[in-house]
Amino acid sequence: MTETPGDDRRLPPALAEVARVEFDYADGDGIDFEPYAAFDSAGETTRWLRRWTGNAEADGCAYRVFGQDGAGGRAALWHARPGRPLTEQPVVYVGSEGECDVVAGNLSDFLWLLADGTGPAEADEEGTKRPDAELTALAERHATTPRRPAADIVREARAAFPAFAEDLRSLCR
């Protein structure tokens, strides 16, 4: 297994703070997200990607998995910008039912997505979101990008990385 340059398995401070937030999805109207207190190990990430793709050759080194939804879909930082820090890498969602796509262009935008009441699994859902005051305050402390509606964040991220889903699915066997 190849490690990405500057391999770092420590959560950035903003993600460490997100990991301490309790996400309430009991009523089905919140954010379905369970953040991790640490990134998955390189070995666990590769095992997960191999199971998802059915490809024993797949290597998870480009991903830092930091959370999941209730169905087992994963949220990860994707090392798509060589030489840039983890906080500047896009956030992707890889669902348990085969769905996958970019949900935010960087960690700052992901914080605004959460503040707007949208988690990685909800990025494609339309409808009224329930903004969260605690997550808004967290984003205000850590984000380096301007606040924008979740739909704009998702649209911009997918425009910046249009081939992500197709490239990931090409690994499937």
Side-chain angles (χ1 to χ4, degrees):
M1 178 177 8
T2 308
E3 296 297 317
T4 50
D7 189 34
D8 188 350
R9 294 279 165 184
R10 291 171 297 162
L11 288 178
L15 273 183
E17 195 169 332
V18 167
R20 292 188 294 272
V21 172
E22 187 171 329
F23 288 82
D24 180 19
Y25 191 65
D27 61 5
D29 191 29
I31 298 173
D32 182 8
F33 184 56
E34 301 168 15
Y36 297 165
F39 285 123
D40 276 350
S41 70
E44 176 56 33
T45 300
T46 292
R47 281 188 293 281
W48 157 74
L49 186 61
R50 288 177 179 174
R51 283 190 309 266
W52 194 87
T53 62
N55 181 345
E57 305 290 316
D59 185 343
C61 70
Y63 301 95
R64 298 293 177 276
V65 177
F66 64 86
Q68 68 180 46
D69 63 18
R74 302 295 202 278
L77 289 167
W78 170 43
H79 192 270
R81 295 178 170 130
R84 308 256 304 264
L86 284 175
T87 57
E88 293 179 20
Q89 303 300 334
V91 176
V92 298
Y93 173 72
V94 181
S96 62
E97 301 296 321
E99 63 275 36
C100 60
D101 220 327
V102 179
V103 297
N106 54 53
L107 182 55
S108 286
D109 284 350
F110 181 69
L111 297 176
W112 290 124
L113 193 78
L114 293 174
D116 201 39
T118 302
E122 295 88 22
D124 287 325
E125 294 177 9
E126 296 199 17
T128 304
K129 306 296 184 195
R130 202 171 53 187
D132 183 280
E134 181 180 11
L135 291 167
T136 297
L138 191 156
E140 288 170 345
R141 283 191 300 279
H142 293 282
T144 58
T145 57
R147 184 173 193 166
R148 298 175 316 290
D152 292 351
I153 290 169
V154 172
R155 187 175 36 260
E156 290 167 12
R158 291 182 181 168
F161 300 97
F164 170 76
E166 182 180 331
D167 290 348
L168 185 58
R169 286 191 182 104
S170 75
L171 296 175
C172 293
R173 301 293 178 250

